[in-house]
Amino acid sequence: MKSRITFRVWLSVFFGGIWQFICNIFSWKNKTPFWRVIGATITVCILAFTCMLAYAFYDELCGSSHRYGDYYATTVLGTDFYFYNDGPGKSYIAERETKKKIHKGLDWIARSEDGDSLVVFAKDGKRGFLSRRTANIIIPAKYDAAWCFNDGVAGVCERDSVFFIDHSGNPIYNRKFKREKNHNYTYHGNYFVNKVGDKFGLVDRFGNDATPIIYEDLFAMANNMWAMKYNGKMGVINPKGVIIVPNEYVGVEIYPEGGIVVILADNSKKRLDYDGNVTDDFVYDYTYTLEYFSDDFDKDGNRIRKPANLWSYSCDGHYGLIDKNGRPITPPLYYSIEAFSADLFECQIDEGGERLIINSKGQKVN
């Protein structure tokens, strides 16, 4: 009867054999001078390899965490100072050359997107502002919340009241606003978005309501313009607070130099200038060639793919058909389009998989 070998016994025999093999190789007994030199060489190589492997392991486990952590935790302030993020209450600002710590016990800092000279810093649960050029504290940490300076002013909060200050810490007007959680109190150009409940409106530099607080959404875009949402549709407000694109579109994109692009209910797009005038009735994202399997075969017996008479184009993730003269044949209503033949196209009408056939005139044939 055969005895059963357990996995534990197998491991013991396996590694025991390896150990005996290693001991036999490096045993000096009965070895000639030549083999002793070979054994010594192998020993030195294995020792060196083991040291390098151990160093690499240590560096990856410990050293790299400090190396990469130092890189990503460091924020440059001007040319002479930097902020090192070591966690709440442990972060600090130091000189770049001497590494001397200037301000200790900080929680975090936040820099302005427009490169303002003042940055927000947090310490002991309060917010203040310091100079990124000199590292001097300009406005002490006395606010319960603060937002970055933008276009020369910054929003600050005491208890639940928000107001706006200049670089000297003086309010720019007397009006205060009740703070809404997770709302950003930052001026862009001449206005900031005020939120009351679930509605939004614009407030000017004098603290006056520039628009009614009626919008479902309102956010800053390029060139100090604003995209607004009202009754479920999107429109545009210009830097003077004037509605130049009425809220009748499903989407709005504003580019620094490319004008305004609006998205219609059928996913098609138009381009407008910054006064709201239509400059292009039809714009799109990309075009794609469509190919079909013809009845012709190559020398290997494979069907030859040929280009269809129409291309497809995309708008906002949907597809339509366009002819080779650039004239749209169908709106971009479909999730995908494939060519059946030169003049027949299979179009997926929804994500459920239903499809229909359209000819090159844009007519349904089934």
Side-chain angles (χ1 to χ4, degrees):
M1 183 176 179
K2 295 182 178 179
S3 61
R4 185 177 179 182
I5 299 176
T6 65
F7 182 68
R8 187 173 183 179
V9 173
W10 182 87
L11 285 177
S12 177
V13 173
F14 178 76
F15 286 106
I18 292 178
W19 176 249
Q20 290 180 7
F21 176 75
I22 293 174
C23 290
N24 185 59
I25 288 178
F26 294 104
S27 174
W28 298 104
K29 188 177 181 180
N30 299 324
K31 295 293 185 181
T32 64
F34 173 78
W35 286 109
R36 290 184 180 184
V37 172
I38 296 298
T41 303
I42 295 175
T43 302
V44 171
C45 292
I46 292 178
L47 181 61
F49 177 77
T50 302
C51 292
M52 289 188 293
L53 187 64
Y55 176 79
F57 177 77
Y58 170 80
D59 185 62
E60 183 64 27
L61 185 64
C62 302
S64 64
S65 63
H66 291 292
R67 182 171 63 251
Y68 296 126
D70 286 349
Y71 177 78
Y72 288 108
T74 300
T75 302
V76 175
L77 300 177
T79 58
D80 300 321
F81 304 93
Y82 70 91
F83 170 77
Y84 183 79
N85 185 2
D86 202 21
K90 300 179 181 179
S91 303
Y92 58 85
I93 292 176
E95 294 180 350
R96 295 182 65 181
E97 290 188 3
T98 65
K99 309 299 182 183
K100 179 182 178 182
K101 296 180 181 179
I102 307 299
H103 301 295
K104 303 177 184 179
L106 303 183
D107 297 330
W108 48 263
I109 67 166
R111 296 182 302 175
S112 172
E113 292 183 357
D114 69 355
D116 195 276
S117 62
L118 298 187
V119 300
V120 182
F121 74 93
K123 183 176 182 179
D124 300 328
K126 296 293 185 176
R127 296 6 173 194
F129 296 86
L130 57 83
S131 171
R132 65 191 303 174
R133 299 189 180 97
T134 65
N136 293 330
I137 293 178
I138 306 301
I139 302 173
K142 58 182 180 179
Y143 302 111
D144 297 308
W147 293 264
C148 290
F149 271 91
N150 201 60
D151 290 327
V153 296
V156 294
C157 180
E158 292 180 342
R159 297 182 181 178
D160 63 346
S161 295
V162 176
F163 56 98
F164 290 87
I165 61 174
D166 58 22
H167 283 89
S168 299
N170 299 316
I172 62 173
Y173 48 73
N174 293 326
R175 184 178 177 183
K176 295 184 177 181
F177 307 88
K178 183 179 178 181
R179 183 185 180 187
E180 296 282 350
K181 284 188 176 181
N182 302 319
H183 184 60
N184 185 20
Y185 291 88
T186 305
Y187 267 90
H188 292 273
N190 294 322
Y191 306 98
F192 91 92
V193 176
N194 187 26
K195 182 181 180 184
V196 178
D198 59 350
K199 300 298 182 182
F200 302 87
L202 293 180
V203 176
D204 66 19
R205 290 277 185 145
F206 301 99
N208 302 316
D209 290 324
T211 68
I213 304 178
I214 59 174
Y215 298 108
E216 297 147 25
D217 204 353
L218 189 60
F219 48 92
M221 300 196 78
N223 300 337
N224 290 328
M225 305 186 82
W226 303 83
M228 56 86 168
K229 186 177 183 181
Y230 185 66
N231 288 335
K233 296 296 182 68
M234 301 295 297
V236 176
I237 299 175
N238 72 4
K240 297 180 180 180
V242 178
I243 296 176
I244 58 170
V245 178
N247 56 294
E248 54 188 37
Y249 301 99
V250 298
V252 168
E253 300 168 352
I254 303 176
Y255 298 99
E257 298 178 355
I260 303 169
V261 173
V262 294
I263 305 173
L264 284 67
D266 62 1
N267 305 310
S268 60
K269 294 182 177 183
K270 295 191 296 186
R271 183 162 59 185
L272 293 68
D273 62 21
Y274 296 121
D275 294 321
N277 303 310
V278 176
T279 58
D280 296 287
D281 283 313
F282 172 68
V283 293
Y284 56 87
D285 298 332
Y286 301 99
T287 57
Y288 309 87
T289 58
L290 296 172
E291 294 182 339
Y292 66 95
F293 284 104
S294 70
D295 293 330
D296 299 328
F297 296 85
D298 61 19
K299 62 181 180 179
D300 296 323
N302 300 314
R303 276 191 167 186
I304 298 175
R305 293 178 63 87
K306 293 184 178 180
N309 291 331
L310 298 180
W311 294 345
S312 70
Y313 71 96
S314 64
C315 277
D316 199 34
H318 295 76
Y319 300 88
L321 291 170
I322 188 173
D323 66 21
K324 295 181 180 179
N325 293 319
R327 184 173 64 93
I329 303 302
T330 70
L333 297 172
Y334 308 106
Y335 285 93
S336 67
I337 297 177
E338 296 181 3
F340 260 0
S341 66
D343 294 298
L344 291 178
F345 306 89
E346 182 184 66
C347 303
Q348 182 181 354
I349 59 176
D350 57 38
E351 292 179 337
E354 289 78 8
R355 291 170 167 79
L356 52 83
I357 303 298
I358 292 179
N359 62 22
S360 58
K361 295 181 180 179
Q363 301 167 335
K364 300 178 184 179
V365 298
N366 60 337

